[in-house]
Amino acid sequence: MTAVVLNRVGLVLGMTGVVFIFIWGPPQPSFEEATFLTTEGPLDPEEAARTRRLKRRHDILSRVGLALIGLGFAAQLAATVS
């Protein structure tokens, strides 16, 4: 790969990662399971499972965004070396 192509790939990866981070936010540490108090009573098991799935999806996609930014940076760095 030429340096120009590698640089462009790095830019695309970086910008895609930024979009992921913009939508899902940066990865955040979670030290405890959240409990929700509502005026409607406790969450039913289906709602609790849905909440856990959404939290897991959020965590995965935010980490993917961060990884894309890192890969983009690495590709651009490799383009300057070659």
Side-chain angles (χ1 to χ4, degrees), residues 52-64:
R52 282 192 298 275
R53 282 194 308 271
L54 286 174
K55 183 178 176 185
R56 176 91 172 127
R57 186 177 111 188
H58 178 276
D59 187 48
I60 290 170
L61 290 176
S62 64
R63 290 178 190 273
V64 166

Side-chain angles (χ1 to χ4, degrees), residues 3-73:
V4 172
V5 172
L6 201 54
N7 192 28
R8 289 180 181 162
V9 168
L11 284 171
V12 169
L13 287 174
M15 288 309 297
T16 305
V18 166
V19 169
F20 271 58
I21 294 293
F22 179 77
I23 294 171
W24 287 285
Q28 299 292 320
S30 177
F31 299 111
E32 60 186 51
E33 184 73 22
T35 57
F36 298 98
L37 296 175
T38 65
T39 58
E40 301 166 356
L43 294 175
D44 62 346
E46 289 179 15
E47 186 67 24
R50 181 177 177 275
T51 301
R52 282 192 298 275
R53 282 194 308 271
L54 286 174
K55 183 178 176 185
R56 176 91 172 127
R57 186 177 111 188
H58 178 276
D59 187 48
I60 290 170
L61 290 176
S62 64
R63 290 178 190 273
V64 166
L66 193 60
L68 286 172
I69 292 172
L71 288 172
F73 175 76

